Amino acid sequence: MNLLIIGTGYVGLVTGACLAEMGHHVICLDIDQGKIEALQKGVVPIYEPGLEELVKRNTLAGRLTFTTDYAYGVHNSQICFIAVPTPSQSSGSCDISYVLQAASSIATFMTDYRVIVTKSTVPVGTASQIRKLIAAKTKAPFDVVSNPEFLKEGAAISDCMKPDRIILGVESAKAAELMKELYSSFTLNHDRILIMDTASAEMTKYVANAMLASRISFMNEIAGLCEKLGADIHHVRAGIGSDHRIGYHFLYAGVGYGGSCFPKDIRALAAMARSVNYETPLLSAINTINERQKRLLAKKMAAYFSGEVAHKTIAIWGLSFKPGTDDLREAPALQLIEELLSQGAHLRLYDPISMPKAKKLLTHPSITWCDNEYHAAQGSDAIALLTEWKQFRFIDFPSLLKQMQGKAFFDGRNQYKKEEMQTKGFDYFGIGVPTT
Ligand code: NAD
């Protein structure tokens, strides 16, 4: 099929490359001229494992092309996907202006039947808004489909190629058949397509993210209680995860969730509830606990240094909101960095992938950019682990300690064992792990 993907970010570029890999002809369109020029030269502007290779292979095969030209994109495609940002507004509600701009641009150039598919995460009712907007601009026939995206950065290609499910919110049998045909190559093993109305499809995406975030916040709340009562979250996690009704996924205590989806989607769902005067105390709590959690390491450091964080040198390992991505959006590391800098600390920062992006965001003179985790530790009073990159799993701790000035280790992702770290000479602080 001939497809147009509007927005070549984490979702659009991965989706476009995967659909091209399945043999479709895909045009990826973006309003960012620089991004499109880079992609035309084979330069992939984001880090996602396996993506560069996939983009190069399909570009060479002639199945994947890049443009900024809406007229060209819309004329040469049957199905137009919208994968543009849907950021938070100051009220917490979702800003769908980019989605509506994209829909309006499609309408301008439509001359015959098109299916317009939202991949962006959009509030319930957006499909109806898009339908009205397009109908007001063109006489050409069309259908709107809600097809929310569930890929995880860092594992986006395998998520896209082997999805747990494909949600299709549809308004007509014709669009449903076309979308089923498009995705048939992704569901050869067993049927993974769930057909529903557009409102339910839009809602499903928000509820999935809220459910996952609620598990994280729940465990973070319990971790704080464990510390106070002398229980260990590692044992508690294993103890509850072994119950098959609970399972082991998303039960890790840490420095809170970040990224481009959970924080904004929880805020947006709460805003949708407010708009219909429906109280959502649980959603509010998920967010409140996460905000508290993101401040936890700074609090623990202040207690350790008896409030004297000024002039201390702190090494921070990991900046992206999770391993496997260069995405820094709402990353817990950014909040910690801001708090420590405001208190006068010197920071030695290292991340295996996201440093080029981080250097554009963080320009404070008290920051030293480091070549690796050992370099960051040199002369530091404390180390804080913020992102659990695999290369941090096996560390030569005795040589690390020798390079430090102090001996505090703040493990924001519970990667190490307290007893082992203490035996090696560290003052170790995990999340939900009693200190004595
Ligand atoms: P992104 O910021 O990485 O990319 C969006 C792209 O859209 C940018 O390149 C931007 O230049 C482009 N754009 C903006 N307005 C445009 C317009 N009018 N026409 C053409 N291009 C335009 O965003 P993302 O992370 O890919 O997220 C996109 C959507 O997918 C959001 O709604 C997000 O919530 C959702 N989502 C994201 C993820 C994720 O892991 N990143 C996962 C699932 C769903």
Side-chain angles (χ1 to χ4, degrees):
M1 288 187 188
N2 293 325
L3 310 170
L4 171 65
I5 315 275
I6 300 172
T8 54
Y10 289 90
V11 167
L13 190 55
V14 169
T15 306
C18 290
L19 286 165
E21 181 75 1
M22 288 292 187
H24 299 289
H25 283 88
V26 181
I27 302 170
C28 281
L29 181 150
D30 206 286
I31 46 169
D32 184 336
Q33 182 107 28
K35 211 177 231 189
I36 292 300
E37 281 170 8
L39 284 162
Q40 283 167 339
K41 289 181 199 137
V43 178
V44 173
I46 52 171
Y47 174 77
E48 181 59 45
L51 182 60
E52 195 168 298
E53 195 192 326
L54 203 63
V55 167
K56 277 191 181 146
R57 186 168 56 244
N58 285 285
T59 307
L60 274 177
R63 289 189 299 266
L64 186 61
T65 53
F66 301 97
T67 187
T68 54
D69 184 349
Y70 264 99
Y72 170 78
V74 175
H75 286 150
N76 291 290
S77 57
Q78 243 176 312
I79 303 176
C80 306
F81 287 88
I82 300 178
V84 298
T86 47
S88 281
Q89 308 199 75
S90 53
S91 63
S93 63
C94 177
D95 175 1
I96 59 165
S97 60
Y98 299 95
V99 171
L100 298 181
Q101 272 166 26
S104 170
S105 303
I106 297 170
T108 305
F109 298 107
M110 260 169 57
T111 46
D112 49 14
Y113 181 74
R114 291 287 177 278
V115 180
I116 293 95
V117 184
T118 47
K119 272 245 159 252
S120 297
T121 304
V122 289
V124 175
T126 303
S128 307
Q129 252 182 284
I130 292 175
R131 190 188 337 103
K132 283 182 201 140
L133 183 152
I134 296 179
K137 282 195 85 165
T138 177
K139 293 264 175 291
F142 68 94
D143 277 306
V144 178
V145 170
S146 167
N147 172 211
E149 181 53 61
F150 294 94
L151 63 76
K152 302 182 286 296
E153 287 175 23
I157 295 188
S158 86
D159 286 349
C160 192
M161 288 301 210
K162 292 181 219 148
D164 288 339
R165 76 302 209 186
I166 296 168
I167 303 279
L168 295 176
V170 297
E171 296 168 333
S172 82
K174 183 176 176 180
E177 283 316 307
L178 206 59
M179 293 302 292
K180 274 162 70 179
E181 191 189 333
L182 171 72
Y183 281 126
S184 57
S185 52
F186 293 84
T187 61
L188 291 179
N189 179 270
H190 65 274
D191 191 10
R192 298 163 203 211
I193 296 178
L194 296 170
I195 306 270
M196 55 185 79
D197 59 282
T198 54
S200 302
E202 289 163 340
M203 188 69 171
T204 299
K205 172 66 192 175
Y206 282 103
V207 176
N209 277 356
M211 174 67 88
L212 294 170
S214 75
R215 284 173 72 103
I216 297 173
S217 279
F218 176 74
M219 289 308 282
N220 281 336
E221 182 169 277
I222 295 300
L225 192 55
C226 282
E227 283 182 30
K228 299 268 181 208
L229 298 178
D232 186 327
I233 196 73
H234 290 292
H235 295 311
V236 175
R237 185 186 68 80
I240 64 166
S242 51
D243 183 331
H244 69 271
R245 294 168 304 175
I246 296 173
Y248 289 104
H249 292 296
F250 274 77
L251 288 188
Y252 285 94
V255 284
Y257 59 76
S260 65
C261 292
F262 284 7
K264 87 168 168 66
D265 291 349
I266 309 306
R267 290 192 291 265
L269 188 55
M272 278 183 248
R274 278 199 304 280
S275 74
V276 289
N277 294 319
Y278 184 74
E279 284 187 17
T280 50
L282 189 52
L283 287 180
S284 309
I286 295 169
N287 185 46
T288 307
I289 295 165
N290 197 55
E291 288 307 312
R292 180 176 71 178
Q293 205 69 12
K294 284 164 90 175
R295 292 190 300 272
L296 186 64
L297 281 197
K299 220 172 136 194
K300 282 179 187 259
M301 284 182 197
Y304 179 75
F305 292 116
S306 310
E308 300 289 323
V309 178
H311 308 303
K312 292 282 183 293
T313 300
I314 317 281
I316 295 187
W317 289 2
L319 302 171
S320 55
F321 83 94
K322 67 172 182 177
T325 180
D326 60 352
D327 199 339
L328 292 160
R329 290 178 280 190
E330 303 209 31
L334 297 184
Q335 176 141 357
L336 177 66
I337 289 167
E338 195 185 304
E339 285 194 41
L340 293 175
L341 288 174
S342 72
Q343 292 169 36
H346 298 291
L347 301 182
R348 297 178 63 79
L349 307 184
Y350 172 67
D351 185 285
I353 293 292
S354 67
M355 297 233 290
K357 278 195 177 167
K359 282 178 184 173
K360 288 184 191 153
L361 281 180
L362 304 166
T363 54
H364 198 284
S366 295
I367 291 176
T368 304
W369 297 98
C370 298
D371 300 334
N372 55 51
E373 57 275 33
Y374 295 94
H375 183 212
Q378 278 173 18
S380 65
D381 295 288
I383 298 174
L385 174 83
L386 269 288
T387 317
E388 66 278 34
W389 287 96
K390 283 200 181 76
Q391 73 182 60
F392 300 151
R393 280 198 194 165
F394 195 80
I395 294 289
D396 179 354
F397 282 111
S399 98
L400 189 80
L401 193 57
K402 278 188 204 143
Q403 296 177 45
M404 293 174 70
Q405 182 170 278
K407 55 176 180 164
F409 197 105
F410 295 89
D411 184 354
R413 298 293 180 181
N414 281 353
Q415 292 293 288
Y416 310 109
K417 294 200 171 72
K418 179 186 75 175
E419 290 75 15
E420 283 179 21
M421 294 296 278
Q422 287 176 339
T423 306
K424 285 171 181 151
F426 286 91
D427 289 338
Y428 175 83
F429 304 92
I431 310 283
V433 183
T435 41
T436 51

